[in-house]
Amino acid sequence: MSSVQSQQEQLSQSDPSPSPNSCSSFELIDMDAGSLYEPVSPHWFYCKIIDSKETWIPFNSEDSQQLEEAYSSGKDCNGRVVPTDGGRYDVHLGERMRYAVYWDELASEVRRCTWFYKGDKDNKYVPYSESFSQVLEETYMLAVTLDEWKKKLESPNREIIILHNPKLMVHYQPVAGSDDWGSTPTEQGRPRTVKRGVENISVDIHCVNDFRSVSLNLLQTHFKKAQENQQIGRVEFLPVNWHSPLHSTGVDVDLQRITLPSINRLRHFTNDTILDVFFYNSPTYCQTIVDTVASEMNRIYTLFLQRNPDFKGGVSIAGHSLGSLILFDILTNQKDSLGDIDSEKDSLNIVMDQGDTPTLEEDLKKLQLSEFFDIFEKEKVDKEALALCTDQDLQEMGIPLGPRKKILNYFSTRKNSMGIKRPTPQPASGANIPKESEFCSSSNTRNGDYLDVGIGQVSVKYPRLIYKPEIFFAFGSPIGMFLTVRGLKRIDPNYRFPTCKGFFNIYHPFDPVAYRIEPMVVPGVEFEPMLIPHHKGRKRMHLELREGLTRMSMDLKNNLLGSLRMAWKSFTRAPYPALQASETAEETEAEPESTSEKPSDVNTEETSVAVKEEVLPINVGMLNGGQRIDYVLQEKPIESFNEYLFALQSHLCYWESEDTVLLVLKEIYQTQGIFLDQPLQ
C-alpha cells in the first residue's frame, strides 16, 4: 500500500521540468503565451481503417464548417444529417457516424476535434475524445487565466498529459508500476507532443490521390479561367460496384479449396480479377453481371438526381478492364430512342430491352402449334429453354415429328438472325461505304449475311439505361480482343452506339490487357494511336530524347549512304566525255529505280517518324463521332527500363494518372463549349 500512496502523492504534486534527453524527443509548439484566454477553434475528423490501423482524416474546411454550424445551431443533433464530400457521404450528427451514399462501405466514426497528440510511428496527429478534449480545454483555460502551469491530467486510457506551459505540453503512454494490482501510470517512456487546435495541421489535402482529387487539382491549373467566370462546375465521379455481388455467391470459397499454395499473390490476383472474364463468358453468371451493372448505374443516377434536383449537366461513363467490355456490350444493345424514359427516372426498376419480343404462346400460335403449349407449360419450358432443346428432348415430351421440325427450324432461324441488322444514317451519294449489314465480316457467314457486334456472346437480355451517356471512356480495355475472338474482323465505319456519341479507348503502352480498336475500323492501314500529351505540356523528356536520337541516326545514315554513293560514282565514271555524257543520261533514268529499291528500307522509318509528327488525318469511322478512338499514355522514364516489370502496375495506373484525368476532363468540358486555358502541345 505504501507504494500506491507514494505514487498518488507524486501525482498530486506539480511535475518538475523534463530532462534534456526527454525534451529532444518532442517538438516545441509555437503558441501565443498571452494572459488572455481565447477559445480553441474545432475541426471535424472521421476515422478510417487503413491496413488494420485507425487513421483520422480531416474533413475539408467547407464540410467542417457546415458540421460545426449544425452542431452549434442549438437544435437537437439526433436525426440531423449533414451531406459531406460533395454529397457522397452523409454525417449523422447525433450518432457521430459517416455513411456512404452511393455504394456500400463500412460506416466510420466522426469526431469534433480540438486537442491532439502525435502518433507513435507515422507522426500523424491523433485527436483525443470529445469529452477528454473538453477537460483539457478547461484545464488550459484555468492555467492561462491564473498563470499556473505544470498541470498533470490522466486520460480515461490512463495516459498522462502534462501542461508545462503554452509552448510545451506532452503526453506519456501508460506504463505500469512495479505492483500489477492497482498500479498507477507514471511519466516514463518517450513523451509525445500535445497540440491544441488544428493550426499547422493540413486539413484540405486528402491522403488518397485518387481520380477525384487529381481532377480537382487539374481544374485549378488547366480550367482556371472557366472556374473564375463560373462557367463550369466540378465533375463528380461515382463508382459502380458489380464485383462484390458477383463474388458473394460462394464461388470464391470453392476456388480457394482448389487453388495451389505457391505464388500466392499472383494466384490471388488471378482468382480475383482474371476469373471475372470467365464469369462473363458463362451463361450462369453473364446475366447476373449485366443486370448488376445496369441496375447500379440506374440506381446511382436516380439517387443523384434526387439529391441534386437542380443538376443540368451531362453524364459520361468509364470502364476499366473487363468493366469496359461490359459497358460496351450494354451500350451496343441499347435502343436508338429512349421513348418515355424521362418519366421513369424516379423508378429504380430496370426496363428490360426486350422490345416487342413475342411470348412462347404467341410463337406457337404463329406456327399453328398452340395445342402443344400446355405440354411446354407442364414441363416448365420457356422460350429460352425451348431454344436449347434438341430433337430428342422434344420427342421425349411427346411432340410429333412434323411439329418438332417446325419448332427446331423456327428457333434456329431466330437465333441466327438475332440482332443482325441495325438502322444507320444513309451515306452521301457517291460515297463508297459498306452497307449496315457489313458491320463486321466473319469467316462463318453465309449467303452474304454478316454477323452483328454481339456475335459469339452468350444469350443475354440487356437492360436499358435510363439516360444517354455523352461519352464512354475505356481504360486498359480488352474490347478489341473480345470482338476478334467473337468472330468480328471489321467494324463498319458508319457504326456508332445507339445512345452514346463519344468513345475513347485509353491505354498504357505496357498494359498486357489493353487492345486497340481503330485497326478493326480501318484494317488496311497501319497508323499509330494518338499520343496523350503530358499534363504539363510537351512529351516526356526521355521520349523526346529517344525520337531526337532516332532522327539524328537516320540523318547520319542517309548522309553516309549519300556520300558513299557519290564516291562510287566518281570512281566508276568513264574518262571520255562522250561516254560520260551518255552514262550520265542513263544514270538519271536509272536513278529513281535504284533509289526506290535500296534506300527504301532506310527511308521507311524516317517516313514513319515524319507521319507521327504531321499527324495526317485518318478516317476512323463514326464510333467516336469522326474523332480518333485509340489514345496511348506516355510511359514514365523508369517504366521504359523494363516493360515486363511494370506490366501489371501499368494495368492499374489510370486512376492516379494526371494525363488520363486531364483527357477525360477536356473531352467532357468540350461538350459544353469549355476548353483548356492553354492547349497542350
Side-chain angles (χ1 to χ4, degrees), residues 219-476:
L219 283 180
Q220 300 292 332
T221 55
H222 292 75
F223 296 92
K224 192 172 183 179
K225 294 180 181 178
Q227 274 200 317
E228 291 176 350
N229 298 331
Q230 297 183 346
Q231 294 176 291
I232 59 173
R234 62 181 176 84
V235 176
E236 183 59 276
F237 299 93
L238 299 175
V240 177
N241 181 22
W242 60 271
H243 186 83
S244 297
L246 178 66
H247 287 260
S248 62
T249 59
V251 70
D252 286 17
V253 178
D254 298 334
L255 278 172
Q256 191 61 37
R257 289 200 300 266
I258 61 175
T259 300
L260 301 182
S262 59
I263 51 174
N264 184 49
R265 291 186 179 180
L266 184 57
R267 293 189 191 278
H268 177 75
F269 174 80
T270 303
N271 288 354
D272 198 48
T273 305
I274 302 179
L275 180 66
D276 292 340
V277 175
F278 298 103
F279 277 149
Y280 192 58
N281 285 283
S282 164
T284 306
Y285 296 100
C286 184
Q287 187 70 58
T288 302
I289 293 175
V290 170
D291 289 345
T292 302
V293 171
S295 63
E296 275 295 288
M297 293 173 70
N298 288 338
R299 182 189 68 83
I300 290 173
Y301 178 72
T302 303
L303 182 58
F304 181 82
L305 291 183
Q306 291 174 355
R307 296 174 63 91
N308 302 273
D310 298 329
F311 175 72
K312 303 297 182 184
V315 180
S316 295
I317 57 178
H320 175 245
S321 193
L322 180 63
S324 64
L325 176 65
I326 298 171
L327 290 179
F328 184 89
D329 287 340
I330 291 177
L331 290 178
T332 301
N333 288 276
Q334 296 297 293
K335 285 188 174 181
D336 294 341
S337 175
L338 295 183
D340 58 346
I341 232 168
D342 291 335
S343 63
E344 302 173 1
K345 287 182 179 178
D346 295 332
S347 173
L348 296 182
N349 296 325
I350 302 174
V351 182
M352 305 302 291
D353 189 11
Q354 300 177 30
D356 299 325
T357 304
T359 63
L360 175 59
E361 187 175 7
E362 292 171 342
D363 281 336
L364 293 175
K365 186 177 181 180
K366 183 178 179 181
L367 296 173
Q368 298 180 351
L369 300 174
S370 300
E371 64 269 23
F372 300 107
F373 177 71
D374 293 337
I375 297 177
F376 294 129
E377 191 174 31
K378 180 181 178 182
E379 296 290 339
K380 299 187 183 304
V381 175
D382 55 10
K383 289 184 64 172
E384 288 73 20
L386 187 55
L388 299 174
C389 287
T390 63
D391 183 80
Q392 184 178 355
D393 295 331
L394 297 177
Q395 186 177 0
E396 291 176 355
M397 283 187 279
I399 309 296
L401 178 62
R404 290 204 308 268
K405 295 300 182 184
K406 281 186 177 181
I407 292 172
L408 292 173
N409 180 67
Y410 174 77
F411 280 97
S412 176
T413 305
R414 183 175 177 273
K415 186 189 300 184
N416 290 335
S417 62
M418 185 87 76
I420 288 179
K421 294 185 179 180
R422 194 177 298 235
T424 185
Q426 293 295 327
S429 58
N432 186 17
I433 299 177
K435 298 179 181 178
E436 181 58 29
S437 61
E438 298 176 355
F439 175 79
C440 64
S441 59
S442 176
S443 58
N444 60 351
T445 57
R446 47 183 187 175
N447 300 329
D449 293 333
Y450 296 91
L451 301 177
D452 194 8
V453 68
I455 64 165
Q457 178 67 324
V458 296
S459 178
V460 175
K461 294 179 180 178
Y462 286 94
R464 185 193 300 177
L465 299 179
I466 59 176
Y467 56 90
K468 291 184 177 181
E470 296 282 346
I471 306 174
F472 167 34
F473 298 97
F475 304 144

Side-chain angles (χ1 to χ4, degrees), residues 542-555:
H542 70 287
L543 295 180
E544 289 191 342
L545 180 61
R546 182 192 303 168
E547 291 187 1
L549 291 175
T550 301
R551 283 194 295 267
M552 185 184 302
S553 63
M554 292 309 304
D555 291 342

